[in-house]
Amino acid sequence: SIFALSAILILLSNCSGERQEKIKEQRPNIVFIMSDDHASRAISCYDGTLNQTPNIDRIASEGAIFTNSFVGNSICGPSRATMITGKFSHKNGFLANYRSKFDGSQQTLPKLLKANGYNTAIVGKWHLGTTPTGFDYWNVFPDQGDYYNPDFIDNGDTVRLNGYATNLVTNLAINWLNEKRNPDQPFMLFVHHKAPHRNWMPDTAKLDMYDGHEFPLPFNFKGDFSDRGKASAEADMGIWKTMSWSHDMKFTDYPTEWEHYKPDGEWHAKRYPQVELGRMTSAQRALWDDYYESRNAEVKEGLKSGATSLEEHIQWRYQRYMHDYLATISSVDDNVGRLLDYLEANGLDDNTIVVYTSDQGFYLGENGWFDKRFMYEQTLRTPFVMKYPGQIKPGTKVDKFIMNIDYMPTLLSYAGVGVPQDIQGRSFHTLLNEQPVSDWRNSIYYHYYMFPGTHSVKRHFGVRNERYKLIRFYHDIDEWELYDLQEDPNELKNVYDDPNYQGIVAEMKEVLRANQEQYEDSYELAMDYLENNRW
Ligand code: SGN
Ligand code: CA
């Protein structure tokens, strides 16, 4: 068959010089699909108890699923900066959303691929504060973007498109593949969805898809942190404490006279009617109101009459959150399917790497929370599935620890581009070989900075190995937490001060020291950032 293949190559190579180059090199195309805040638990190839995602699952079954995939800083901008630089936040300079501005003059994945003959494009969420660099084509949301009829910055020009964000981003991706890319070059395409980011606005076609589903309350839904520490207790991301009637729960009017009334912040109270609903066409708005208004009236009635207790109401809020969140994911999954089908129908699937990931995980009610930021499992982890026909065996499962610093070197390796020395991640293509490498990392490093900030999650850094996790919270507190993940997978009992764990504390501090040395980070550097107000 090698002979047959070369015969075909010779035959084809006679057609055109350029064509010959392309076939000889066989450099893969890359389609990198990333959503925003997608917890692994809401992907059926990872879990399957909450929802079905047949198209994301297709990527895993035709390729590989990574069961231990972690981020170095669980928040949007920093995670995105990390994945395009292969470096932790303290090296790429993007420590926190809003405060930081990405320095687009530095070395990035799209730039290196472009310099090595790739046609590069990004559509959807960018969120790094500065103009994208390294892309032949970019068409991105300003800031976070909107779910309905969003604005896009099309290579510099702001254009409003009609429709639902997840569909539109995929339309732009397919449109670029069809009409705008240079077919003589291999390509790298980032497809970055807004969904399932807060405030979880489903497509009108999906509004009722989880009607009648009752999602079980996850562990520690009441948020008892007596055996954890101050950082968890003081965080502001509770389903009752923090979610708003308007923006999150989709009430256009809400009562102010109840005993347990919790007012919405001014920003949320304005944003939902004026911006989020305000962007809708009257047809979209009619379908929206038709769904939410009658259901909301019932909820208000129950509370007013006293038939619904506060506790029941909080549980109802969880159901609405999950229904909306999962419905936005259903659109993401449909659109992953559209893109996979496009690649197949156009003969591109054989030579294209397809990745599906998220910028970080998300709390789906664990500890009573939504949002991310903490180094606890639900948000330290992020989904990662990848296929590359002929190179990755279908049905591969990788349990080794991968991180978002590794995506860049991995993709560069597959593209045949040398990995620069200063990159902190390591290519994990070697884990997918017939003979996987044996000297892989067995611990991972983490550092979160965005405090003071939205949701009030304190600054912390730490390490995790197969069994233990050590975290140090600093700034306005100095608290250490140690969890034995084997005995306590939900991380509810901090054993840092337990006399039985003092040997482990010492071992994990050594793991922390070694990681900080390897990645050139330290408590002193963190304090320096703080004292000099560097973000
Ligand atoms: C917005 C959200 C927050 C969310 C951040 C960061 N509030 O500020 O809940 O944590 O984005 O998200 S909202 O009221 O605007 O919905 S990130 O994914 O971009 O990091
Ligand atoms: Ca995010």
Side-chain angles (χ1 to χ4, degrees):
S1 71
I2 290 224
F3 289 119
L5 188 68
S6 23
I8 293 170
L9 288 183
I10 289 165
L11 239 152
L12 283 171
S13 69
N14 291 334
C15 305
S16 98
E18 268 174 42
R19 195 96 199 131
Q20 177 187 6
E21 253 308 274
K22 196 178 150 199
I23 291 164
K24 203 173 60 200
E25 290 180 352
Q26 280 294 315
R27 291 188 296 172
N29 305 308
I30 298 164
V31 173
F32 190 92
I33 311 170
M34 181 164 67
S35 55
D36 194 354
D37 298 355
H38 194 168
S40 305
R41 203 151 80 79
I43 295 181
S44 42
C45 60
Y46 277 96
D47 186 312
T49 56
L50 292 179
N51 63 339
Q52 292 302 310
T53 51
N55 294 297
I56 298 171
D57 295 5
R58 245 163 95 187
I59 302 176
S61 61
E62 290 173 20
I65 181 166
F66 293 78
T67 60
N68 287 302
S69 156
F70 303 103
V71 295
N73 184 357
S74 184
I75 186 75
C76 182
S79 174
R80 287 158 203 262
T82 291
M83 61 182 79
I84 60 171
T85 59
K87 295 173 187 168
F88 280 96
S89 309
H90 64 282
K91 288 286 178 191
N92 65 46
F94 198 101
L95 304 185
N97 291 350
Y98 316 124
R99 301 273 192 133
S100 311
K101 291 265 174 268
F102 186 68
D103 170 10
S105 71
Q106 68 187 300
Q107 159 189 289
T108 63
L109 173 65
K111 280 192 189 175
L112 285 177
L113 288 176
K114 185 165 147 67
N116 284 278
Y118 270 75
N119 198 187
T120 57
I122 178 172
V123 294
K125 187 168 173 180
W126 167 247
H127 204 218
L128 288 176
T130 49
T131 301
T133 56
F135 298 97
D136 294 309
Y137 172 82
W138 53 276
N139 200 344
V140 299
F141 299 128
D143 194 37
Q144 296 276 11
D146 287 293
Y147 275 107
Y148 278 88
N149 313 326
D151 286 342
F152 284 88
I153 311 175
D154 181 348
N155 296 275
D157 300 325
T158 301
V159 181
R160 177 182 168 131
L161 297 182
N162 279 331
Y164 184 67
T166 310
N167 302 333
L168 293 171
V169 166
T170 308
N171 295 352
L172 291 175
I174 291 176
N175 188 35
W176 182 77
L177 289 169
N178 240 347
E179 292 168 15
K180 297 199 166 78
R181 75 186 171 96
N182 177 352
D184 296 323
Q185 288 177 282
F187 64 83
M188 182 214 75
L189 171 61
F190 285 175
V191 184
H192 290 186
H193 291 293
K194 172 183 176 63
H197 192 273
R198 194 180 179 192
N199 63 335
W200 322 293
M201 291 176 78
D203 189 354
T204 48
K206 303 269 187 189
L207 286 171
D208 62 358
M209 83 174 282
Y210 289 105
D211 273 10
H213 281 61
E214 176 91 15
F215 295 98
L217 300 177
F219 72 81
N220 195 26
F221 183 71
K222 288 198 167 164
D224 174 357
F225 301 117
S226 47
D227 288 330
R228 233 187 209 181
K230 254 199 234 143
S232 287
E234 291 180 14
D236 180 20
M237 46 202 236
I239 285 166
W240 171 247
K241 184 178 167 200
T242 317
M243 277 188 184
S244 59
W245 289 99
S246 53
H247 179 67
D248 298 306
M249 291 290 111
K250 283 97 179 178
F251 285 73
T252 45
D253 69 301
Y254 41 92
T256 53
E257 68 273 22
W258 304 330
E259 189 187 347
H260 294 294
Y261 171 70
K262 181 187 72 71
D264 278 8
E266 201 186 327
W267 191 83
H268 283 135
K270 276 197 184 147
R271 180 158 172 99
Y272 181 63
Q274 286 175 14
V275 180
E276 279 134 16
L277 300 182
R279 295 192 75 88
M280 289 181 170
T281 63
S282 51
Q284 290 164 341
R285 181 68 195 267
L287 291 167
W288 188 266
D289 286 348
D290 190 46
Y291 181 78
Y292 286 108
E293 290 300 307
S294 56
R295 285 163 180 81
N296 291 352
E298 247 177 71
V299 172
K300 284 184 280 190
E301 197 38 53
L303 284 164
K304 249 183 218 159
S305 67
T308 311
S309 68
L310 179 65
E311 182 162 344
E312 282 165 341
H313 178 64
I314 296 170
Q315 294 182 6
W316 174 87
R317 285 188 168 229
Y318 179 65
Q319 301 304 324
R320 168 138 308 166
Y321 166 40
M322 292 303 284
H323 287 206
D324 288 353
Y325 178 85
L326 294 172
T328 71
I329 287 171
S330 175
S331 290
V332 171
D333 190 69
D334 289 353
N335 279 285
V336 168
R338 273 178 72 204
L339 209 46
L340 293 176
D341 291 347
Y342 175 89
L343 295 174
E344 267 173 36
N346 290 276
L348 289 166
D349 56 318
D350 274 349
N351 197 35
T352 300
I353 294 173
V354 181
V355 170
Y356 183 86
T357 186
S358 168
D359 59 347
Q360 11 72 201
F362 213 65
Y363 294 100
L364 303 179
E366 299 89 351
N367 303 306
W369 288 341
F370 66 100
D371 214 64
K372 50 256 179 179
R373 300 159 196 269
F374 275 114
M375 197 193 162
Y376 303 121
E377 291 295 279
Q378 293 70 31
T379 49
L380 174 62
R381 291 173 174 276
T382 201
F384 196 93
V385 295
M386 173 165 75
K387 75 183 188 91
Y388 183 8
Q391 298 286 325
I392 302 175
K393 219 166 116 210
T396 301
K397 184 166 155 282
V398 179
D399 296 327
K400 296 266 190 252
F401 289 2
I402 64 158
M403 295 201 70
N404 54 350
I405 48 172
D406 301 330
Y407 306 168
M408 173 167 174
T410 301
L411 296 173
L412 288 176
S413 301
Y414 277 127
V417 177
V419 178
Q421 282 297 315
D422 64 342
I423 283 182
Q424 296 186 303
R426 181 172 168 194
S427 172
F428 50 72
H429 77 277
T430 51
L431 298 176
L432 297 158
N433 292 345
E434 289 280 302
Q435 296 276 310
V437 288
S438 53
D439 68 327
W440 194 254
R441 73 167 70 88
N442 46 32
S443 64
I444 56 118
Y445 182 63
Y446 184 87
H447 198 153
Y448 173 81
Y449 300 86
M450 201 176 159
F451 183 89
T454 333
H455 300 304
S456 294
V457 174
K458 296 182 193 297
R459 293 180 185 224
H460 58 292
F461 55 77
V463 281
R464 183 207 196 275
N465 67 13
E466 208 183 318
R467 176 155 176 189
Y468 300 102
K469 185 182 292 180
L470 178 72
I471 314 176
R472 180 178 189 177
F473 290 93
Y474 67 94
H475 181 212
D476 64 344
I477 54 170
D478 189 3
E479 280 187 10
W480 292 81
E481 294 182 8
L482 177 76
Y483 296 99
D484 181 341
L485 300 168
Q486 187 178 299
E487 299 300 315
D488 175 28
N490 296 337
E491 303 163 282
L492 291 171
K493 188 155 181 43
N494 175 16
V495 291
Y496 182 78
D497 290 322
D498 184 330
N500 296 322
Y501 281 91
Q502 293 317 298
I504 304 296
V505 167
E507 269 175 40
M508 291 307 285
K509 283 196 171 169
E510 175 50 27
V511 173
L512 176 62
R513 193 206 54 75
N515 270 274
Q516 290 197 323
E517 183 179 293
Q518 178 182 354
Y519 298 122
E520 299 177 325
D521 195 15
S522 65
Y523 180 69
E524 289 68 33
L525 183 63
M527 291 319 271
D528 186 58
Y529 279 130
L530 248 175
E531 275 151 28
N532 296 302
N533 201 21
R534 288 164 62 204
W535 292 81

